[in-house]
Amino acid sequence: MGTAPGPEGAGPLQKDSKVAVVKVQAVGVAPRQVTMKGLYFQQSSTSEEITFVFQERLLTEMKMEKDFFPVGREVAGIVLDVGSKVSFFQPGDEVAGILPLDSEDPGLCEAVRVHEHYLVHKPEKVAWTEAAGTIRDGVRAYTALHYLSHLSPGKSVLIMDGASALGTIAIQLAHHRGAKVISTACSLEDKQCLERCRPSIARVIDVSNGKAQVAESCLEETGGLGVDIVLDAGVRLYSKDDEPAVKLQLLPHKHDIITLLGVGGHWVTTEENLQLDPPDSHCLYLKGATVAFLNDEVWNLSNVQQGKYLCILKDVMEKLSTGVFRPQLDEPIPLYEAKVTMEVVQKNQGRKKQVVQF
């Protein structure tokens, strides 16, 4: 879930810092002392149930309680105030970015404090909701297709669940780089959406009825050579008796991915608990193929990656500005509806990105 700007202000700021206060809308600096409302989730001590609550606190006195965690990290807004060491931004700048994992301020808040190295300028022609709703998936798509699999013109790419928020951006980036795209659709609506894509997708494989043979379709489309790059949306790891029926129906088995992968191919997986048995590894070895894990948080785990990360954020904004990226977003929702919306998102209901606009 992303957040786009709204009216009102921010709290005080230490002037000898590289931190900026960003108004998550409307130009202008707010009062120096103000109580801000933000959305947090609370982990129950007696169960694994997660509840969402609004909290109002002074930014200067914000001390996170252990059982409250900020919600929402993709933000777009206007800089209200900056520390004396901030060199990239000044008050009034329109910016977008992703809050770090250790941020004490929720993105779903009227104003946030953020280090300047997590922000980039937002082009004037890019809408607030598009900036907040696309920046995360843009980073994921770049990480998967550029840095993990070295996408280049003429390569064949299988993007699973292409009508999802990530799939849509990944398809657009792959087409922009001159690749041949194959995708899967999880419903008739998704299939129709993918068939309307321009440039057109080489083949849309409908897996909604559980009968489509993904490996056979990809091998047929590539003349038996297999695809160069696979970006999955999860995979089945076990037998039919050990996995939920829904997962069985929509996701390919890991053996299917290995089968359809071409020689020297790259498999980029979102399956954080991927289990490969010795025969799986041997098959990948014979193909000279690689397996990479898509974790877009790694960019902020080492300072040496900061320049590349900011280049990605800037390029995502540029491609939004030029129309290369055309995200599929739901209508923005007001803050007072964020609690209910987050509960829906938590249950994995809904397909499009939800953006809260102040």
Side-chain angles (χ1 to χ4, degrees):
M1 176 180 286
T3 55
E8 320 219 354
L13 179 72
Q14 292 182 352
K15 285 298 183 180
D16 58 344
S17 70
K18 292 181 72 65
V19 173
V21 173
V22 178
K23 171 60 187 142
V24 188
Q25 191 172 18
V27 179
V29 178
R32 310 261 324 155
Q33 293 281 351
V34 65
T35 299
M36 307 306 297
K37 176 188 278 190
L39 186 66
Y40 299 83
F41 75 82
Q42 184 177 20
Q43 182 76 52
S44 172
S45 59
T46 57
S47 68
E48 295 183 356
E49 182 180 355
I50 290 177
T51 58
F52 294 92
V53 296
F54 285 110
Q55 294 285 312
E56 291 192 4
R57 305 181 184 182
L58 282 170
L59 286 183
T60 48
E61 299 174 356
M62 177 77 81
K63 298 294 182 182
M64 288 301 301
E65 299 175 18
K66 292 183 179 180
D67 55 344
F68 287 94
F69 302 89
V71 173
R73 293 173 52 211
E74 301 83 36
V75 298
I78 295 169
V79 177
L80 292 178
D81 200 3
V82 297
S84 61
K85 295 183 180 180
V86 172
S87 55
F88 296 160
F89 307 101
Q90 58 186 7
D93 285 352
E94 297 182 355
V95 297
I98 302 174
L99 301 182
L101 284 168
D102 59 354
S103 173
E104 293 185 346
D105 298 341
L108 297 183
C109 189
E110 294 165 333
V112 296
R113 300 159 299 175
V114 56
H115 194 286
E116 64 174 339
H117 288 169
Y118 298 112
L119 299 171
V120 293
H121 287 94
K122 181 190 77 67
E124 184 177 354
K125 64 192 303 183
V126 174
W128 296 110
T129 53
E130 288 186 351
T134 308
I135 194 165
R136 168 75 68 180
D137 290 318
V139 170
R140 286 173 175 157
Y142 263 93
T143 304
L145 299 180
H146 183 72
Y147 289 97
L148 296 180
S149 57
H150 312 293
L151 178 67
S152 59
K155 292 285 185 72
S156 57
V157 184
L158 170 62
I159 297 175
M160 307 296 293
D161 194 10
S164 65
L166 171 60
T168 298
I169 299 301
I171 287 173
Q172 292 165 0
L173 180 60
H175 276 151
H176 181 71
R177 294 288 178 88
K180 175 182 179 180
V181 177
I182 304 170
S183 187
T184 61
C186 298
S187 67
L188 177 60
E189 182 182 1
D190 286 354
K191 182 174 183 289
Q192 293 171 343
C193 176
L194 292 172
E195 288 174 342
R196 292 194 297 267
C197 285
R198 294 295 179 269
S200 60
I201 295 175
R203 176 174 292 199
V204 177
I205 306 169
D206 185 359
V207 298
S208 60
N209 57 13
K211 298 179 181 179
Q213 302 297 319
V214 176
E216 286 81 351
S217 298
C218 290
L219 291 172
E220 179 183 338
E221 189 62 38
T222 58
L225 298 177
V227 299
D228 299 305
I229 299 169
V230 177
L231 172 57
D232 71 32
V235 294
R236 286 192 286 124
L237 303 177
Y238 312 110
S239 65
K240 293 183 178 180
D241 297 331
D242 299 326
E243 301 218 48
V246 174
K247 194 169 187 179
L248 282 173
Q249 181 179 9
L250 300 180
L251 297 180
H253 195 279
K254 61 181 178 180
H255 295 154
D256 295 331
I257 301 293
I258 295 172
T259 299
L260 63 85
L261 197 62
V263 172
H266 301 279
W267 174 10
V268 181
T269 182
T270 60
E271 189 69 52
E272 60 184 48
N273 296 313
L274 180 66
Q275 177 181 321
L276 294 177
D277 300 317
D280 303 328
S281 298
H282 185 64
C283 186
L284 290 168
Y285 166 77
L286 292 176
K287 291 187 175 188
T290 63
V291 178
F293 292 87
L294 179 56
N295 176 11
D296 52 284
E297 302 292 352
V298 298
W299 293 109
N300 292 320
L301 299 181
S302 172
N303 290 336
V304 75
Q305 302 290 338
Q306 196 65 44
K308 292 181 181 179
Y309 177 63
L310 289 176
C311 283
I312 294 175
L313 296 183
K314 291 177 182 177
D315 212 39
V316 171
M317 290 298 108
E318 179 186 341
K319 284 182 169 47
L320 274 172
S321 179
T322 58
V324 173
F325 287 162
R326 304 176 303 280
Q328 302 294 319
L329 305 173
D330 270 338
E331 289 296 319
I333 61 174
L335 180 62
Y336 65 82
E337 293 183 6
K339 182 176 179 293
V340 174
T341 301
M342 278 304 303
E343 292 170 350
V344 172
V345 171
Q346 195 69 27
K347 297 175 183 177
N348 293 320
Q349 299 174 350
R351 297 279 289 161
K352 297 181 180 180
K353 272 291 175 71
Q354 299 283 353
V355 179
V356 177
Q357 185 163 24
F358 291 82

